[in-house]
Amino acid sequence: MSATPLLVPVHPAQGIRRLLRRVADGRAGAVPVPVPPVLDVGSGSGCEDIDSLYHHRRLELVRLAVLLVDDVPTAEDVVQDAFTAVYRRHGPRLAGLDNPEGYLRRCVVNAARSVLRRRRTVRSYVPPRTTPAPPPEEEVLLREEHREVLDALRRLTPRQRQVIVLRYWSNLSEVEIADTLGLSRGTVKSTASRGLAALARRLEEAS
């Protein structure tokens, strides 16, 4: 059966959120599940120590990292390093953190940004390598529309990509994104607007 052509929705944000979530589920190798709402870990979410935070949020953070760095092994390394850094700085009880989940998310995003910077540096001196074919199981998990979304995301600027993923996949507010990326709220808003328009154009071109 042929794949259903991708249609750009009238309201792009709704379709992009749905597709980004489904893409993230597939790239992380998990059975798709609804993305839980962002929780305030310090206000009764149940994640009161590093072990429970790891248990409840690791997979979601890997999915987030995949959308920023493009491959599962690197995303898993980014998240593991973030948890290790949080444990070393704040201990098993997350001492001194009012919002451990938000802090951990910032660590993951910053680590992903560092990965992308290193890649750009390497590519400035070494010819880019041919991207290997994805493993068979990944081809099964990624439908045509998923690959189109990932390709469109890769063609955004790094800042646009980060803002779009945090806004329309992680469901963060403009204020939360500004805090995570160290930007002003106005910059987040304008970047999201430009990135959303660019992403919709890419998807329309691919349809």
Side-chain angles (χ1 to χ4, degrees):
M1 182 180 296
S2 60
T4 302
L6 176 64
L7 298 178
V8 179
V10 175
H11 193 312
Q14 296 177 0
I16 289 170
R17 180 183 291 116
R18 174 178 57 83
L19 288 174
L20 287 178
R21 288 177 177 176
R22 288 163 59 188
V23 170
D25 285 333
R27 290 300 294 266
V31 176
V33 296
V35 177
V38 176
L39 300 175
D40 181 353
V41 179
S43 303
S45 70
C47 299
E48 299 175 350
D49 55 45
I50 193 72
D51 289 336
S52 59
L53 188 63
Y54 186 89
H55 176 74
H56 290 289
R57 285 293 178 256
R58 177 188 171 277
L59 181 56
E60 180 182 344
L61 290 169
V62 170
R63 292 167 176 167
L64 168 63
V66 164
L67 290 174
L68 297 176
V69 301
D70 295 332
D71 68 275
V72 174
T74 301
E76 291 177 335
D77 289 344
V78 162
V79 172
Q80 187 65 40
D81 290 346
F83 271 102
T84 300
V86 171
Y87 178 82
R88 288 175 176 171
R89 293 170 189 165
H90 299 279
R93 300 297 297 175
L94 306 173
L97 288 179
D98 294 330
N99 183 5
E101 183 178 348
Y103 180 82
L104 184 60
R105 187 189 303 113
R106 283 196 299 275
C107 290
V108 169
V109 171
N110 288 336
R113 294 166 80 181
S114 295
V115 167
L116 297 178
R117 282 195 296 269
R118 288 196 297 271
R119 286 178 181 173
R120 287 197 297 271
T121 300
V122 170
R123 287 169 184 165
S124 67
Y125 292 98
V126 180
R129 295 174 7 182
T130 302
T131 303
E137 64 272 16
E138 187 170 297
E139 281 293 337
V140 172
L141 290 168
L142 282 178
R143 292 173 21 175
E144 180 180 355
E145 60 182 354
H146 296 171
R147 290 191 290 270
E148 290 171 353
V149 170
L150 284 175
D151 181 63
L153 278 172
R154 294 186 187 109
R155 296 165 68 185
L156 298 179
T157 68
R159 179 177 291 181
Q160 287 175 346
R161 181 176 181 172
Q162 292 155 14
V163 169
I164 290 296
V165 169
L166 291 174
R167 181 69 184 91
Y168 297 106
W169 188 81
S170 292
N171 287 328
L172 298 193
S173 67
E174 291 175 354
V175 172
E176 291 170 320
I177 296 172
D179 182 59
T180 299
L181 299 179
L183 304 172
S184 69
R185 184 176 178 182
T187 299
V188 169
K189 187 172 183 177
S190 61
T191 301
S193 178
R194 290 193 296 268
L196 193 60
L199 189 57
R201 285 197 303 272
R202 304 297 189 195
L203 293 174
E204 187 173 12
E205 292 168 0
S207 63

